[in-house]
């Protein structure tokens, strides 16, 4: 178990802003910095009567866009497909809330 915790601690040392922002790339005389949404999680458990234990984890990365230099200033250029995919849950929840508000107002 101690080896597992040490391994997890070593993994988290690599997590942070460096995962969300990639290294700058010079493309056509323009500096471009990739930007992503990074999320991860893990869990574990133990059953004390039988001494069983288990755990797991996972994560995902969504490319949001790039920062690029325009006239010497940084400008964000979004990845429109990723932005639309990320907006689907927001629009769905907003639509459901609006439906409930309209039904409540009718009563």
């Amino acid at each position: 178990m101690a080896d597992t915790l040490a391994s997890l601690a070593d993994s988290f040392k690599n997590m942070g802003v460096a995962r969300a922002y990639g290294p700058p790339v010079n493309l056509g005389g323009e500096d471009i910095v990739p930007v992503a949404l990074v999320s991860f999680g893990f869990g574990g458990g133990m059953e004390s009567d039988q001494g069983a234990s288990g755990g797991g984890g996972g994560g995902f990365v969504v490319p949001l866009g790039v920062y690029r230099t325009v006239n010497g200033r940084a400008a964000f250029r979004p990845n429109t497909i990723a932005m639309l995919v990320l907006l689907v849950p927001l629009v769905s929840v907003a639509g459901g809330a609006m439906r409930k508000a309209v039904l409540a107002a009718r009563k």
Side-chain angles (χ1 to χ4, degrees):
M1 185 75 161
D3 293 336
T4 304
L5 290 176
S7 175
L8 278 173
D10 286 339
S11 296
F12 285 114
K13 288 179 185 175
N14 296 327
M15 297 298 169
V17 176
R19 295 285 181 213
Y21 296 95
V25 177
N26 192 316
L27 185 62
E30 189 174 13
D31 287 331
I32 296 175
V33 178
V35 180
L37 172 67
V38 180
S39 180
F40 62 94
F42 66 95
M46 176 181 272
E47 190 172 325
S48 61
D49 292 344
Q50 299 176 7
S53 63
F60 65 90
V61 177
V62 178
L64 295 180
V66 295
Y67 276 108
R68 52 184 269 205
T69 3
V70 177
N71 298 327
R73 297 185 60 173
F76 183 71
R77 182 165 182 198
N79 177 349
T80 53
I81 294 172
M83 291 296 187
L84 289 173
V85 168
L86 290 175
L87 284 176
V88 167
L90 178 67
V91 170
S92 175
V93 168
M98 188 177 294
R99 179 177 181 266
K100 287 182 180 182
V102 168
L103 289 175
R106 285 185 181 174
K107 287 184 179 184

